[in-house]
Amino acid sequence: MKDLLHFAAARAIAYAEGLGSRRVAPDPQALAGLSRFEEPLPDGPTDPEAVLALLDEVGSPASIAMAGPRFFGFVIGGALPIALAANWLASAWDQNTGMYRVTPATAQIEQVALRWLLEILALPPTCGGAFVTGATSANFTALAAARHAVLARVGWDSEADGLFGAPPVTVVVGDEVHPSVIKSLGLLGLGRRRVVRVPVDGQGRMRPNAIPRLSGPAIVCAQAGNVNTGAVDPVGEICEVAQAVGVWVHVDGAFGLWAAAAPSRARLVEGVGQADSWATDAHKWLNVPYDCGLAFVREPDILRAAMAVTAEYLPTETEYRNPSDYTPELSRRARGVDVWAALRQLGRAGVADLVERCCRHARRFAERLADAGYEILNEVVLNQVLVSFGEPETTQRVIARVQEDGTCWCGGTEWQGRVAMRISVSSWSTTDADVEQSIEAILRIAGADCVSRT
Ligand SMILES: *Cc1c(COP(=O)(O)O)cnc(C)c1O
């Protein structure tokens, strides 16, 4: 066991240390090598070191350097060394983190992490919280609580009786809602298509004065951090309109909620704390390893009512907090340990610095690309930059060549009818030098494209 784990650690360390100097996208040869995994199920045991060596030799080069400093696709983030290290230790613990009495250490650590998270995200300290797999399941979890609450207010028990014959629930979203919210609404029986879509402004923010007059059970889903622009809905104003008539306000803040952690960005999310529930990710901006999302609900009892299970063989708790009373899962890994370790090591100032640094890098990208004559399509308020290189086909070609080139990795998107390259800066490990190196590569590729067309 000891030799195998040392062997694995050495390989993982070599991989992590190589992230800054390798190509970001795997080369075609590494991808072709993946066919080596296509073998029949072995009849019997193999030497474990040989198994791990195969995994590393074939898998590592074919992976994309998502955990590295020059991956700017989607909003991914790397893994802080302390979070990765704590994750390794917690994996050795192998705790099933559902019940306090069975896994007191991880349950306690997660409870502390939740308290710290509420503080750093400037959410009400008495919120209930849950560690889930990502913002998709956090949206699902928080919206299950919303569904419970708005139907309970009109005397309907959605957990017991389902939605057949229930009073209808109006669900309002901004036109720029993240698809994971729509998916969650589908899973909850609230329907993907029956949502009311509210128009947005040029940055993708919901227009509060366009929210229709609401009555009866209703949920408004706002957003903090548009995946393209980083813009934040005016959540405070939305809350004033909605909560006056008893409407639940949920905020999808997968990465945008973290603006609260950085003094220079906190004003972007002013008013967000007035909502009733929130979803966010720790695997994005907090840079813990995949997977880790978080759901928060202002009234812990509402989250519990939507999520708790009871069975004869499971200990019910009055004295302690059972994590599984607040999550869709019963058994799960202790993902809160990675969060605790990240927060314990960075402290408030460290998290602020992480967020500020990413925003500063995003601004640098925008400034240099604009100086070179390319159009920035969004107000760079957070970590997101949208850039157009001219005609849609030109932008698409530049994106494809940037990915092929391997210096850095950026994805594409369409923003309000314009094709754009999307730069998301969310890794702890990105340095000023990584940003300059990436900008040089992008400018070289875009410039060469221009020359080859004339
Ligand atoms: C990334 C993201 C999600 C989905 O998060 P996962 O962790 O991938 O499930 C939801 N909403 C927004 C705004 C996001 O940026």
Side-chain angles (χ1 to χ4, degrees):
M1 166 120 122
K2 190 170 162 189
D3 289 347
L4 178 66
L5 294 184
H6 275 301
F7 183 69
R11 296 247 174 188
I13 292 164
Y15 178 82
E17 288 195 321
L19 280 168
S21 51
R22 59 162 277 186
R23 298 172 46 83
V24 179
D27 62 30
Q29 199 189 337
L31 290 174
L34 286 173
S35 63
R36 280 180 62 197
F37 285 129
E38 292 301 326
E39 38 179 20
L41 173 67
D43 283 330
T46 315
D47 168 38
E49 286 198 8
V51 173
L52 203 84
L54 175 67
L55 193 60
D56 187 34
E57 281 156 27
V58 180
S60 294
S63 70
I64 190 159
M66 247 173 207
R70 292 186 307 281
F71 183 85
F72 305 112
F74 313 98
V75 191
I76 296 276
L80 288 160
I82 182 63
L84 179 60
N87 175 287
W88 287 355
L89 182 57
S91 288
W93 290 349
D94 194 26
Q95 300 288 288
N96 176 335
T97 305
M99 289 163 288
Y100 188 97
R101 268 179 214 273
V102 190
T103 56
T106 53
Q108 189 77 42
I109 292 165
E110 288 199 341
Q111 207 169 326
V112 172
L114 285 171
R115 177 162 59 78
W116 288 352
L117 284 161
L118 291 170
E119 207 175 310
I120 220 156
L121 298 172
L123 298 180
T126 51
C127 279
F131 285 99
V132 294
T133 51
T136 302
S137 56
N139 279 319
F140 168 79
T141 303
L143 287 168
R147 180 183 68 171
H148 171 88
V150 299
L151 284 171
R153 282 178 206 152
V154 291
W156 188 271
D157 183 341
S158 54
E159 284 68 38
D161 298 321
L163 293 184
F164 301 102
V169 178
T170 308
V171 180
V172 175
V173 300
D175 213 18
E176 272 290 331
V177 61
H178 193 273
S180 67
V181 172
I182 298 294
K183 173 179 172 173
S184 300
L185 292 169
L187 291 171
L188 289 163
L190 295 169
R192 293 189 183 207
R193 199 166 52 200
R194 60 184 288 287
V195 295
V196 178
R197 284 182 173 263
V198 172
V200 296
D201 68 12
Q203 297 302 309
R205 291 175 291 231
M206 194 193 296
R207 296 180 187 276
N209 53 8
I211 297 176
R213 187 177 296 277
L214 296 169
S215 62
I219 302 165
V220 177
C221 303
Q223 178 166 260
N226 177 286
V227 279
N228 283 309
T229 64
V232 177
D233 285 352
V235 180
E237 273 179 73
I238 293 169
C239 286
E240 269 156 43
V241 175
Q243 289 169 334
V245 287
V247 171
W248 183 284
V249 179
H250 168 69
V251 179
D252 173 11
F255 64 96
L257 221 53
W258 293 86
S264 74
R265 308 282 150 180
R267 116 204 106 67
L268 258 186
V269 287
E270 241 167 41
V272 165
Q274 291 171 44
D276 298 286
S277 62
W278 303 263
T280 192
D281 267 319
H283 59 214
K284 287 181 176 170
W285 224 339
L286 188 60
N287 280 252
V288 301
Y290 280 90
D291 47 26
C292 190
L294 294 150
F296 297 109
V297 176
R298 179 180 290 274
E299 298 281 342
D301 288 347
I302 296 178
L303 178 56
R304 193 170 195 281
M307 291 294 148
V309 287
T310 50
E312 294 308 318
Y313 74 98
L314 297 174
T316 45
E317 284 298 346
T318 46
E319 208 174 325
Y320 301 110
R321 177 189 184 276
N322 267 342
S324 67
D325 285 346
Y326 300 86
T327 54
E329 299 88 358
L330 184 54
S331 303
R332 64 179 175 83
R333 78 176 185 95
R335 49 176 68 84
V337 172
D338 315 357
V339 169
W340 173 86
L343 296 177
R344 180 72 175 74
Q345 194 235 320
L346 292 177
R348 196 192 301 275
V351 180
D353 181 53
L354 169 60
V355 172
E356 306 263 0
R357 224 165 49 229
C358 292
C359 295
R360 181 163 54 75
H361 291 326
R363 199 169 282 276
R364 176 71 181 160
F365 269 109
E367 279 165 6
R368 284 208 55 197
L369 292 168
D371 284 350
Y374 301 113
E375 190 185 354
I376 305 300
L377 302 183
N378 66 316
E379 289 168 18
V380 181
V381 291
L382 211 57
N383 63 331
Q384 298 293 114
V385 181
L386 299 177
V387 54
S388 161
F389 295 95
E391 294 301 311
E393 304 73 38
T394 310
T395 302
Q396 264 148 3
R397 263 196 319 275
V398 172
I399 295 166
R401 293 202 181 135
V402 165
Q403 293 177 1
E404 269 163 37
D405 169 73
T407 306
C408 65
W409 202 99
C410 303
T413 190
E414 200 177 304
W415 176 246
Q416 299 189 338
R418 305 277 312 272
V419 171
M421 186 169 88
R422 180 163 167 259
I423 305 169
S424 304
V425 192
S426 17
S427 176
W428 69 277
S429 65
T430 305
T431 62
D432 290 347
D434 289 309
V435 173
E436 299 309 317
Q437 190 186 343
S438 303
I439 292 170
E440 295 302 331
I442 294 167
L443 292 178
R444 166 170 51 77
I445 289 160
D449 186 87
C450 178
V451 170
S452 76
R453 298 269 126 194
T454 51

